[in-house]
């Protein structure tokens, strides 16, 4: 019974609970017990008591793991940082509230890179997360806890956030599905900000159907978020079996990126063949400025972060260091509370915004960002969707890149351009390379999530991945 | 050879005015505005700068900003943007202030000959209270923060350096305050900090065009202190230059009690605010309809009203300004004028000098009194007494005149009093006949004393001349 329950996708489980064939409490107990026995470091907090169970909503009472970056009223919310140790927000993030209201009670808070800065989850202030496929390897990041929990069957589904790949890359490395929505499609209110102009939250799920189901309940304009927009389409679940008539583009510049592992390349090439077999055309396209995406990203995101993280000053919440005067209190609190990578990015960002350097760094990076968005716009005149590997590599060993920030940053080289352009992209498992999952990324124009999910669904069926480490 | 100490200097002053807007709620959250409430009772996660919160602009604040910009003759930017101004301080909960930087809502206006450089929207800081003798954060035993004020909508108005004396600066700031008051966009209370004026001051040898090194002067919380502070700073700079020194660019704090200026920070300590566009907000793009609504909401402004009083009612410039720059008295004047349009100057004089705001007198009563003077029923001297009663107790002027016997002396009564005065002032009569006309004053004075001011001075002179044949 247990393994049968466990093998249900979230959408399948919701269908049963809504039909009255399954008590959602049974589902809760199963996952709460598994989450409690988590030995991957995937969770940072679990509730003591079961919530009121209600299977009547569209999400059927299927429990949801929530990245620790989301504020939840009275629940520890640290964004993976020691500086917010003990912090319990006085309010709940809009996206979490919407999902709970739609019938997905919160199962727990998941581990992450501190303030979402990282690609391996090793920057967490509360210890790393292990990849359930190989516990000596990283799960990716920054939503590493959410990805590992879903892949290991410690949660039916999860939400995470993606600033420059933080949903897609861990989804790829853990062999699950991760969807980064269009910027503005989902409210950011209550998401502890990393880089405000890039942050978006989205689902991490076992399959594309679950991702579409969860995403459909997250969207919409929020009066608390001036940058959020009404979603222009009604939610729907994917059903396409073929890709007839669709045009796919493979961006030359991104595929030429140095460091794409042969195993990743092989899975990608196979996937492209499958796309053609399903009736779509595949052509090479140009995204001429995408090669500069990572450089622009590592100016813009740290610049915004340097301001977003300035509020952690020891005055109102989180930890406060005892010090003889105000300046030392600020310095000591931040020295103790932030990890190395966060400090590195605050320094980078502060420098990029400094008087005399602004134009050369921040101003220039904004121009590159505009060019990259223009590149995508032009590309979508020719093709419907763009396909790339999600990450140049499979999951790498714990500790392999902690001493080399630039190598770590390269993990997101294929994911960052879409973030800069604000467009949606999904990562689905394409197959295995040396026993480790490889993700394939599909990107489309703004607000094309359901079209992307349709194509990803057809491809998912053709690939027939279905593997998860506990199966 | 010119001696440095004899050289004349010209002050060059620009003002920066922070105006707290009288909206119902704060600039970027739904908290009510408040003054004098218990600390930290008007706060929410947004204005406390909690993790994950986002600002949502207050539409009313933008409308008020548009009204101010239009009233000052500014251009309205089709798309103005908010920036983050980064600095650490306990009164700044996010460690950045949301303000406007290179594209402000309003730019390039003018008020009474002083050009307005810009007017932009921003949010106010929280209030710090320091325990201990220093009263400042350095040396405080403890400091506490009241976030009720944090996030209050502000418009910052920056003038060009078009002002050339402290008195002129204070006068212009008064006009600006009355203009803002007329717009109804702010309480403009300097005591409570809803209007805060900082000055940028430099001096240069009279007649030269280049600007000297400027200092910024803060904490002048009344027009009197503004004038005193600016004068003190002008004198300080003159002293430095006369001794052959150089003015340093710095920010100065004016102590209201001692009149002393102390340095808050030097140029080296100036912040690098690392402005960048606020990614959590979209540009403000006012529609034509919004701009037209804001324009339509602007009432007649004090400057225009003063000009109208001068032009249409032939008032002297100073009383026209006094009435126009004190909106309540201007309204009183106009209400009285509607009843009695015959003598605006007398009416204006009474409203300015004799019926303070909040007195018991009604515009109708003051108007009626002016009519009684015009009809010769009450003398101007007696009218002053009637005004005192009106201001203190209210009532009907005709009744007051009757009850107190203040009716103008005239006819046989006045004739008899004049005859008596002539008889008692033979010396004065002689002098008048010798051509020393001013001697008539003694006789007039005697008549006035006798009538207790109820007689009309012109009438009395006429009677005297008739009787002595001069
Ligand atoms: Zn508030």
């Amino acid at each position: 019974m247990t393994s049968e329950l466990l093998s249900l996708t979230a959408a399948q489980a919701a269908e049963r609970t809504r039909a009255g064939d399954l008590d959602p409490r049974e589902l809760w107990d199963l996952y709460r017990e598994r989450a409690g026995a988590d030995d991957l470091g995937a969770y940072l907090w679990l509730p003591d008591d079961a919530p009121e169970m209600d299977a009547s909503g569209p999400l059927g009472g299927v429990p949801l793991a929530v990245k620790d970056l989301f504020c939840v009223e009275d629940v520890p919310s640290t964004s993976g940082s020691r500086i917010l140790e003990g912090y319990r927000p006085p309010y709940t993030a809009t996206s979490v509230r919407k999902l709970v209201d739609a019938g997905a009670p919160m199962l727990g808070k998941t581990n992450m890179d501190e303030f979402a800065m990282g690609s391996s989850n090793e920057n967490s202030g509360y210890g790393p997360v292990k990849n359930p496929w190989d516990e000596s390897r990283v799960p990716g990041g920054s939503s590493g806890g959410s990805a590992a929990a879903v892949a290991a069957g410690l949660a039916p589904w999860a939400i995470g956030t993606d600033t420059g790949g933080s949903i897609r890359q861990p989804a790829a490395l853990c062999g699950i599905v991760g969807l980064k929505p269009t910027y503005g499609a989902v409210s950011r209110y209550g998401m502890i900000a990393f880089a405000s102009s890039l942050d978006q939250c989205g689902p991490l799920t076992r399959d594309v159907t679950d991702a579409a189901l969860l995403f459909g309940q997250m969207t919409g304009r929020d009066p608390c978020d001036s940058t959020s927009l009404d979603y222009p389409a009604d939610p729907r679940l994917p059903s396409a079996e073929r890709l007839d008539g669709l045009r796919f583009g493979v961006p030359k510049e991104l595929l030429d990126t140095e460091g794409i592992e042969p195993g990743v390349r092989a899975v990608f090439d196979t996937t492209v063949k499958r796309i053609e077999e399903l009736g779509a055309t595949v052509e090479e396209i140009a995204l001429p400025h995408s090669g500069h995406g990572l450089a622009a990203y590592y100016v813009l995101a740290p610049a915004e972060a340097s301001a977003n993280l300035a509020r952690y000053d020891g005055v109102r919440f989180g930890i406060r260091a005892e010090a003889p005067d105000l300046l030392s209190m600020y310095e000591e609190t931040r020295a103790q509370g932030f990890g190395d990578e966060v400090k590195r990015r605050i320094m980078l960002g502060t420098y990029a915004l400094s008087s005399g350097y602004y134009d050369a760094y921040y101003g220039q990076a904004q121009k590159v960002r505009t060019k990259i968005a223009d590149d995508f716009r032009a590309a979508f005149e020719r093709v419907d969707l763009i396909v790339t590997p999600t990450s140049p590599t499979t999951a790498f060993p714990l500790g392999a890149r902690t001493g080399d920030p630039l190598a770590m940053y390269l993990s997101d080289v294929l994911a960052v351009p879409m973030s800069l352009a604000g467009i949606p992209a999904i990562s689905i498992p394409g197959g295995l390379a040396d026993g480790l999952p490889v993700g394939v990324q599909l990107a489309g124009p703004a607000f094309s999530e359901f079209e992307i999910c349709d194509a990803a669904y057809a491809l998912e069926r053709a690939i027939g991945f279905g593997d998860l480490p506990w199966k | 050879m010119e001696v440095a100490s004899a050289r004349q200097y010209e002050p060059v002053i620009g003002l920066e005015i922070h105006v707290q807007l009288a909206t119902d709620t704060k600039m970027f959250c739904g908290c009510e505005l408040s003054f004098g409430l218990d600390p930290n009772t008007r706060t929410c996660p947004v204005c406390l700068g909690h993790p994950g919160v986002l600002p949502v602009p207050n539409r009313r604040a933008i409308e008020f900003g548009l009204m101010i910009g239009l009233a000052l003759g500014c251009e309205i930017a089709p798309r103005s943007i908010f920036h983050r101004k980064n600095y650490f301080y306990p009164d700044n909960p996010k460690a950045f202030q949301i303000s406007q930087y290179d594209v402000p809502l309003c730019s390039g206006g003018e008020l009474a000959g002083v050009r307005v450089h810009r007017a932009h929207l921003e949010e106010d800081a929280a209030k710090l209270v320091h325990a201990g003798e220093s009263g400042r954060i350095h040396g405080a035993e403890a400091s506490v923060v009241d976030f009720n004020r944090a996030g209050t909508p502000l418009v910052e108005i920056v003038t060009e350096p078009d002002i050339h004396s402290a008195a002129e600066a204070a006068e212009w700031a008064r006009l600006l305050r009355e203009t803002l008051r007329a717009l109804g966009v702010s309480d403009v209370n300097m005591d409570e900090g809803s209007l805060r004026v900082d000055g940028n001051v430099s001096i240069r040898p009279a007649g030269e065009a280049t600007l000297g090194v400027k200092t910024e002067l803060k904490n002048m919380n009344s027009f009197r202190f503004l004038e005193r502070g600016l004068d003190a700073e002008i004198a300080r700079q003159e002293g430095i230059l006369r001794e052959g020194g150089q003015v340093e660019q710095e920010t100065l704090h004016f102590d209201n009690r001692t009149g002393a200026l102390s340095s808050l920070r030097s140029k080296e300590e100036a912040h690098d605010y690392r402005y960048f566009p606020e990614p959590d907000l979209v540009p403000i793009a006012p529609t034509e309809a919004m701009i037209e609504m804001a324009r339509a909401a602007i009432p007649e402004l004090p400057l225009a009203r003063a000009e109208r009083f001068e032009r249409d009612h032939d008032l002297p410039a100073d009383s026209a300004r006094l009435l126009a720059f004190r909106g309540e008295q201007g309204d009183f004047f106009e209400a009285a004028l509607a009843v009695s349009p015959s003598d605006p100057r007398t009416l204006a004089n009474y409203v300015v000098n004799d019926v303070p705001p909040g007195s018991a007198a009604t515009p109708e009563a003051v108007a009626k009194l002016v009519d009684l003077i015009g009809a010769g029923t009450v003398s101007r001297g007696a009218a002053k007494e009637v005004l005192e009663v009106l201001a203190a107790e209210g009532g009907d002027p005709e009744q007051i005149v009757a009850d107190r016997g203040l009716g103008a002396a005239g006819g046989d009564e006045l004739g008899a009093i004049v005859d008596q005065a002539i008889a008692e002032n033979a010396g004065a009569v002689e002098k008048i006949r010798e051509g020393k006309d001013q001697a008539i004053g003694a006789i007039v004075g005697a008549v006035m004393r006798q009538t207790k001011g109820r007689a009309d001075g012109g009438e009395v002179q006429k009677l005297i001349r008739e009787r002595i044949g001069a």
Side-chain angles (χ1 to χ4, degrees), chain A residues 8-39:
Chain A
L8 295 175
T9 66
Q12 288 165 346
E15 200 174 312
R16 290 204 195 174
T17 56
R18 283 161 51 97
D21 297 337
L22 171 62
D23 182 352
R25 181 63 196 246
E26 212 179 312
L27 207 56
W28 173 273
D29 289 342
L30 167 69
Y31 280 104
R32 176 62 183 78
E33 199 190 320
R34 288 183 64 84
D38 161 33
D39 55 8

Short mmCIF file of all heavy atoms in Angstrom, two decimals, chain A residues 8-39:
data_model
loop_
_atom_site.label_atom_id
_atom_site.label_comp_id
_atom_site.label_asym_id
_atom_site.label_seq_id
_atom_site.Cartn_x
_atom_site.Cartn_y
_atom_site.Cartn_z
N LEU A 8 2.33 7.24 -6.67
CA LEU A 8 1.39 8.15 -7.33
C LEU A 8 2.03 9.52 -7.56
O LEU A 8 2.68 10.05 -6.66
CB LEU A 8 0.14 8.35 -6.47
CG LEU A 8 -0.78 7.15 -6.21
CD1 LEU A 8 -1.88 7.56 -5.24
CD2 LEU A 8 -1.37 6.64 -7.52
N THR A 9 1.81 10.08 -8.72
CA THR A 9 2.20 11.49 -8.87
C THR A 9 1.22 12.33 -8.07
O THR A 9 0.17 11.85 -7.64
CB THR A 9 2.14 11.93 -10.34
OG1 THR A 9 0.77 11.90 -10.76
CG2 THR A 9 3.00 11.05 -11.23
N ALA A 10 1.57 13.59 -7.89
CA ALA A 10 0.69 14.47 -7.10
C ALA A 10 -0.67 14.59 -7.77
O ALA A 10 -1.71 14.58 -7.09
CB ALA A 10 1.34 15.84 -6.94
N ALA A 11 -0.66 14.71 -9.10
CA ALA A 11 -1.94 14.86 -9.81
C ALA A 11 -2.80 13.61 -9.66
O ALA A 11 -4.01 13.69 -9.46
CB ALA A 11 -1.69 15.17 -11.28
N GLN A 12 -2.16 12.45 -9.73
CA GLN A 12 -2.89 11.19 -9.55
C GLN A 12 -3.46 11.10 -8.13
O GLN A 12 -4.61 10.71 -7.93
CB GLN A 12 -1.96 9.99 -9.81
CG GLN A 12 -1.63 9.81 -11.28
CD GLN A 12 -0.42 8.88 -11.47
OE1 GLN A 12 0.31 8.57 -10.53
NE2 GLN A 12 -0.23 8.43 -12.72
N ALA A 13 -2.63 11.47 -7.16
CA ALA A 13 -3.09 11.42 -5.77
C ALA A 13 -4.25 12.39 -5.56
O ALA A 13 -5.25 12.05 -4.92
CB ALA A 13 -1.94 11.76 -4.83
N ALA A 14 -4.14 13.60 -6.14
CA ALA A 14 -5.21 14.60 -5.98
C ALA A 14 -6.50 14.11 -6.61
O ALA A 14 -7.59 14.34 -6.08
CB ALA A 14 -4.77 15.93 -6.62
N GLU A 15 -6.36 13.41 -7.72
CA GLU A 15 -7.56 12.88 -8.39
C GLU A 15 -8.28 11.91 -7.46
O GLU A 15 -9.50 11.93 -7.33
CB GLU A 15 -7.12 12.20 -9.68
CG GLU A 15 -8.23 12.02 -10.69
CD GLU A 15 -7.68 11.47 -12.00
OE1 GLU A 15 -6.66 12.02 -12.49
OE2 GLU A 15 -8.25 10.48 -12.49
N ARG A 16 -7.49 11.09 -6.77
CA ARG A 16 -8.10 10.09 -5.87
C ARG A 16 -8.71 10.74 -4.64
O ARG A 16 -9.80 10.36 -4.21
CB ARG A 16 -7.05 9.07 -5.42
CG ARG A 16 -6.62 8.17 -6.54
CD ARG A 16 -6.09 6.88 -5.97
NE ARG A 16 -5.35 6.16 -7.00
CZ ARG A 16 -4.67 5.06 -6.75
NH1 ARG A 16 -4.61 4.58 -5.51
NH2 ARG A 16 -4.03 4.44 -7.73
N THR A 17 -8.01 11.69 -4.06
CA THR A 17 -8.57 12.31 -2.85
C THR A 17 -9.82 13.10 -3.19
O THR A 17 -10.80 13.07 -2.44
CB THR A 17 -7.55 13.27 -2.18
OG1 THR A 17 -7.14 14.25 -3.13
CG2 THR A 17 -6.35 12.53 -1.64
N ARG A 18 -9.80 13.74 -4.32
CA ARG A 18 -10.97 14.54 -4.71
C ARG A 18 -12.18 13.65 -5.00
O ARG A 18 -13.32 14.07 -4.80
CB ARG A 18 -10.63 15.42 -5.92
CG ARG A 18 -9.79 16.65 -5.52
CD ARG A 18 -9.08 17.23 -6.72
NE ARG A 18 -10.00 17.46 -7.83
CZ ARG A 18 -10.57 18.63 -8.12
NH1 ARG A 18 -10.28 19.67 -7.39
NH2 ARG A 18 -11.40 18.75 -9.12
N ALA A 19 -11.88 12.43 -5.48
CA ALA A 19 -12.97 11.49 -5.77
C ALA A 19 -13.41 10.76 -4.50
O ALA A 19 -14.38 9.99 -4.54
CB ALA A 19 -12.51 10.49 -6.82
N GLY A 20 -12.69 10.98 -3.40
CA GLY A 20 -13.05 10.31 -2.16
C GLY A 20 -12.48 8.91 -2.05
O GLY A 20 -12.81 8.15 -1.15
N ASP A 21 -11.57 8.55 -2.98
CA ASP A 21 -10.99 7.21 -2.96
C ASP A 21 -9.75 7.13 -2.06
O ASP A 21 -9.20 6.06 -1.84
CB ASP A 21 -10.57 6.79 -4.38
CG ASP A 21 -11.78 6.70 -5.29
OD1 ASP A 21 -12.90 6.52 -4.75
OD2 ASP A 21 -11.61 6.83 -6.51
N LEU A 22 -9.29 8.30 -1.61
CA LEU A 22 -8.08 8.30 -0.80
C LEU A 22 -8.24 9.39 0.26
O LEU A 22 -8.63 10.51 -0.05
CB LEU A 22 -6.85 8.59 -1.69
CG LEU A 22 -5.51 8.85 -1.00
CD1 LEU A 22 -5.05 7.64 -0.19
CD2 LEU A 22 -4.44 9.23 -2.03
N ASP A 23 -7.93 9.01 1.50
CA ASP A 23 -7.99 9.97 2.59
C ASP A 23 -6.70 10.81 2.55
O ASP A 23 -5.60 10.26 2.66
CB ASP A 23 -8.09 9.22 3.92
CG ASP A 23 -8.20 10.17 5.12
OD1 ASP A 23 -8.05 11.40 4.93
OD2 ASP A 23 -8.41 9.66 6.24
N PRO A 24 -6.82 12.13 2.38
CA PRO A 24 -5.59 12.96 2.28
C PRO A 24 -4.73 12.84 3.54
O PRO A 24 -3.53 13.04 3.48
CB PRO A 24 -6.13 14.38 2.09
CG PRO A 24 -7.56 14.34 2.50
CD PRO A 24 -8.03 12.94 2.28
N ARG A 25 -5.36 12.49 4.65
CA ARG A 25 -4.61 12.34 5.90
C ARG A 25 -3.59 11.19 5.78
O ARG A 25 -2.48 11.27 6.31
CB ARG A 25 -5.61 12.07 7.03
CG ARG A 25 -4.98 11.91 8.40
CD ARG A 25 -4.28 13.20 8.81
NE ARG A 25 -3.38 12.97 9.91
CZ ARG A 25 -3.54 13.48 11.13
NH1 ARG A 25 -4.55 14.26 11.38
NH2 ARG A 25 -2.67 13.20 12.09
N GLU A 26 -3.99 10.18 5.03
CA GLU A 26 -3.11 9.03 4.82
C GLU A 26 -1.86 9.47 4.04
O GLU A 26 -0.73 9.09 4.34
CB GLU A 26 -3.88 7.98 4.02
CG GLU A 26 -3.51 6.55 4.33
CD GLU A 26 -4.37 5.60 3.49
OE1 GLU A 26 -5.61 5.79 3.45
OE2 GLU A 26 -3.79 4.71 2.86
N LEU A 27 -2.12 10.30 3.05
CA LEU A 27 -1.04 10.84 2.22
C LEU A 27 -0.10 11.71 3.07
O LEU A 27 1.12 11.62 2.99
CB LEU A 27 -1.68 11.66 1.10
CG LEU A 27 -0.97 11.83 -0.22
CD1 LEU A 27 -0.65 10.49 -0.84
CD2 LEU A 27 -1.85 12.65 -1.16
N TRP A 28 -0.74 12.57 3.89
CA TRP A 28 0.04 13.44 4.77
C TRP A 28 0.93 12.60 5.68
O TRP A 28 2.13 12.84 5.80
CB TRP A 28 -0.88 14.33 5.61
CG TRP A 28 -0.12 15.10 6.66
CD1 TRP A 28 0.20 14.68 7.91
CD2 TRP A 28 0.48 16.39 6.51
NE1 TRP A 28 0.96 15.62 8.56
CE2 TRP A 28 1.14 16.70 7.72
CE3 TRP A 28 0.52 17.33 5.46
CZ2 TRP A 28 1.83 17.89 7.92
CZ3 TRP A 28 1.20 18.52 5.66
CH2 TRP A 28 1.85 18.79 6.88
N ASP A 29 0.35 11.61 6.34
CA ASP A 29 1.10 10.81 7.30
C ASP A 29 2.28 10.11 6.64
O ASP A 29 3.39 10.07 7.18
CB ASP A 29 0.18 9.78 7.97
CG ASP A 29 -0.81 10.44 8.93
OD1 ASP A 29 -0.55 11.60 9.32
OD2 ASP A 29 -1.82 9.81 9.27
N LEU A 30 2.03 9.58 5.43
CA LEU A 30 3.11 8.90 4.70
C LEU A 30 4.28 9.85 4.45
O LEU A 30 5.44 9.55 4.78
CB LEU A 30 2.58 8.36 3.36
CG LEU A 30 3.65 7.91 2.36
CD1 LEU A 30 4.34 6.65 2.85
CD2 LEU A 30 3.04 7.70 0.97
N TYR A 31 3.96 11.02 3.90
CA TYR A 31 5.05 11.93 3.54
C TYR A 31 5.66 12.62 4.74
O TYR A 31 6.86 12.88 4.77
CB TYR A 31 4.56 12.96 2.50
CG TYR A 31 4.55 12.36 1.11
CD1 TYR A 31 3.36 11.97 0.49
CD2 TYR A 31 5.74 12.15 0.42
CE1 TYR A 31 3.35 11.41 -0.77
CE2 TYR A 31 5.75 11.58 -0.85
CZ TYR A 31 4.55 11.21 -1.44
OH TYR A 31 4.57 10.66 -2.68
N ARG A 32 4.83 12.84 5.77
CA ARG A 32 5.38 13.47 6.97
C ARG A 32 6.38 12.52 7.62
O ARG A 32 7.43 12.95 8.11
CB ARG A 32 4.24 13.82 7.93
CG ARG A 32 4.70 14.40 9.27
CD ARG A 32 5.45 15.71 9.09
NE ARG A 32 5.95 16.22 10.37
CZ ARG A 32 7.04 15.77 11.00
NH1 ARG A 32 7.75 14.79 10.46
NH2 ARG A 32 7.42 16.29 12.14
N GLU A 33 6.06 11.22 7.60
CA GLU A 33 6.97 10.25 8.18
C GLU A 33 8.25 10.15 7.38
O GLU A 33 9.36 10.13 7.93
CB GLU A 33 6.27 8.89 8.25
CG GLU A 33 6.92 7.94 9.23
CD GLU A 33 6.37 6.53 9.11
OE1 GLU A 33 5.15 6.38 8.92
OE2 GLU A 33 7.17 5.58 9.19
N ARG A 34 8.10 10.12 6.05
CA ARG A 34 9.30 10.05 5.20
C ARG A 34 10.16 11.30 5.36
O ARG A 34 11.39 11.23 5.43
CB ARG A 34 8.90 9.84 3.73
CG ARG A 34 8.36 8.45 3.45
CD ARG A 34 8.04 8.28 1.96
NE ARG A 34 9.23 8.37 1.09
CZ ARG A 34 10.03 7.36 0.83
NH1 ARG A 34 9.81 6.16 1.37
NH2 ARG A 34 11.06 7.52 0.01
N ALA A 35 9.50 12.47 5.39
CA ALA A 35 10.24 13.72 5.55
C ALA A 35 10.96 13.74 6.89
O ALA A 35 12.10 14.21 7.00
CB ALA A 35 9.30 14.92 5.42
N GLY A 36 10.30 13.19 7.92
CA GLY A 36 10.91 13.14 9.25
C GLY A 36 12.15 12.26 9.28
O GLY A 36 13.04 12.46 10.10
N ALA A 37 12.19 11.28 8.38
CA ALA A 37 13.34 10.37 8.34
C ALA A 37 14.39 10.83 7.32
O ALA A 37 15.32 10.09 7.00
CB ALA A 37 12.86 8.97 7.99
N ASP A 38 14.21 12.05 6.82
CA ASP A 38 15.12 12.62 5.80
C ASP A 38 16.57 12.54 6.26
O ASP A 38 16.93 13.10 7.28
CB ASP A 38 14.70 14.09 5.57
CG ASP A 38 15.78 14.93 4.92
OD1 ASP A 38 16.56 14.39 4.10
OD2 ASP A 38 15.83 16.14 5.20
N ASP A 39 17.41 11.83 5.50
CA ASP A 39 18.83 11.84 5.86
C ASP A 39 19.67 12.49 4.75
O ASP A 39 20.87 12.31 4.67
CB ASP A 39 19.34 10.44 6.18
CG ASP A 39 19.07 9.46 5.05
OD1 ASP A 39 18.63 9.90 3.97
OD2 ASP A 39 19.31 8.25 5.26
#
